[in-house]
Amino acid sequence: MRRSLPPPEREEEAVMQGSIEETEVGIYVVKHDVSAKPEDIGIVLKDLMVVHDLDNVPLAVAMLFGLMYKLVMELDGCTLSKKAQALKYRLHV
């Protein structure tokens, strides 16, 4: 018996989900045409889409830096390496 191909939307979703699962930290842009306006811009952290529907890539970059800053500041200073402690101290001051 022959299987029919999945609809293009499902195939695109599968490709996007696979890409997200392989990404530790990143910004994604969904466009169906190179010259078209992005349909979605968002942020991926640890295989999860944490922010989506952002207006533009510069905003996504700023949001990503803000999220990373928050993560670093919430880390316990006693368990960090010397370099990480120095970074946390420089960010805090």
Side-chain angles (χ1 to χ4, degrees), residues 39-84:
E39 292 182 26
D40 189 18
I41 300 172
I43 298 172
V44 175
L45 289 176
K46 298 288 267 179
D47 312 334
L48 295 172
M49 189 184 314
V50 295
V51 179
H52 62 93
D53 293 331
L54 295 173
D55 293 334
N56 52 56
V57 174
L59 175 61
V61 171
M63 296 269 305
L64 180 58
F65 273 103
L67 288 168
M68 293 180 76
Y69 175 82
K70 183 173 175 17
L71 288 173
V72 168
M73 296 313 289
E74 289 180 354
L75 294 174
D76 181 20
C78 298
T79 59
L80 298 175
S81 70
K82 296 288 183 194
K83 287 183 180 181

Side-chain angles (χ1 to χ4, degrees), residues 72-73 75-77 80 84-92:
V72 168
M73 296 313 289
L75 294 174
D76 181 20
L80 298 175
Q85 286 178 7
L87 173 62
K88 183 176 179 177
Y89 176 76
R90 287 181 186 157
L91 291 173
H92 194 288

